[in-house]
Amino acid sequence: MKQLPLVAAIAAMVLFVAAVAGFGAALEGYSQARHPVGLLGASGVPHALAFNTLGFVLPGLLAAFVAWRLRVAMGDNAPWVARIGAWLALLSAIAFVAQGLLPLDPGDLESDASRAHATAWTLWWVALLPATLLLALGLRGESESRARVLASVVAAVVVVALAMLPLDLLAPAFAQRVVFATWLAWTVVVAGGNRKTGMP
């Protein structure tokens, strides 16, 4: 039971990467370098439901489980910033799920459906950024949480550089994938846990 969060985090990463790679290769004309991930699950795209399930919904639910277990394991005596950070990590994971439940409209990127998907994407990183920062602050005094703190700082920097600021450091499609990959890797590190939180 104690290893479940780590197993869930690894499964989330594997599912997402496999779904993006597999469905991307199967969709004619789709380019990982030019097209957003959400296009694979857009309305009318072949196998969109399967992609949304495997690429967004299941990974998001697994990440939500990790965040929930982290918050429960912290207890009520943990620093308040760490507790809020865990709740925000849960909110971010739920927003990731929402991206699969609110697919893009490939024929009209200004439609209500496309705006709803974009809102879910925005909520995902807007919740993720303070989650990483607050967890880094709340866990910084624990020697056994150094990996979590470092991973949280790295994740925050990546989100700011590639999702928040219009720096154009990378092509948009590639930047989105780097941010997603960073979040999933951060989730794996968070799930690794320590003895104090009871998430070994």
Side-chain angles (χ1 to χ4, degrees):
M1 288 293 290
K2 291 182 178 181
Q3 295 296 331
L4 277 178
L6 182 57
V7 172
I10 294 173
M13 176 177 284
V14 171
L15 274 172
F16 177 78
V17 171
V20 172
F23 285 92
L27 182 60
E28 184 178 357
Y30 185 81
S31 170
Q32 299 286 358
R34 293 186 291 109
H35 297 129
V37 170
L39 186 59
L40 294 170
S43 300
V45 171
H47 313 297
L49 178 60
F51 173 78
N52 284 327
T53 301
L54 298 174
F56 283 124
V57 176
L58 289 180
L61 289 175
L62 289 167
F65 170 73
V66 172
W68 173 74
R69 280 292 300 268
L70 174 65
R71 174 61 190 93
V72 170
M74 282 180 179
D76 293 333
N77 294 323
W80 68 268
V81 289
R83 285 180 277 142
I84 294 176
W87 284 125
L88 286 171
L90 176 60
L91 176 61
S92 178
I94 293 172
F96 190 82
V97 172
Q99 292 182 73
L101 300 178
L102 302 168
L104 285 169
D105 178 356
D108 185 1
L109 295 181
E110 296 299 324
S111 68
D112 290 342
S114 295
R115 289 178 184 275
H117 181 86
T119 298
W121 147 262
T122 302
L123 179 58
W124 168 74
W125 69 258
V126 165
L128 177 60
L129 178 57
T132 56
L133 292 173
L134 291 175
L135 281 172
L137 287 172
L139 299 175
R140 71 187 186 283
E142 298 181 7
S143 59
E144 295 176 342
S145 289
R146 287 176 182 170
R148 279 179 175 168
V149 172
L150 178 59
S152 295
V153 171
V154 170
V157 170
V158 170
V159 170
V160 169
L162 299 183
M164 183 179 178
L165 298 179
L167 299 179
D168 294 330
L169 297 176
L170 299 172
F174 189 61
Q176 184 191 47
R177 285 158 175 78
V178 171
V179 177
F180 279 150
T182 300
W183 170 62
L184 290 165
W186 174 76
T187 302
V188 171
V189 175
V190 166
N194 58 53
R195 290 191 295 274
K196 288 185 179 182
T197 62
M199 290 177 68

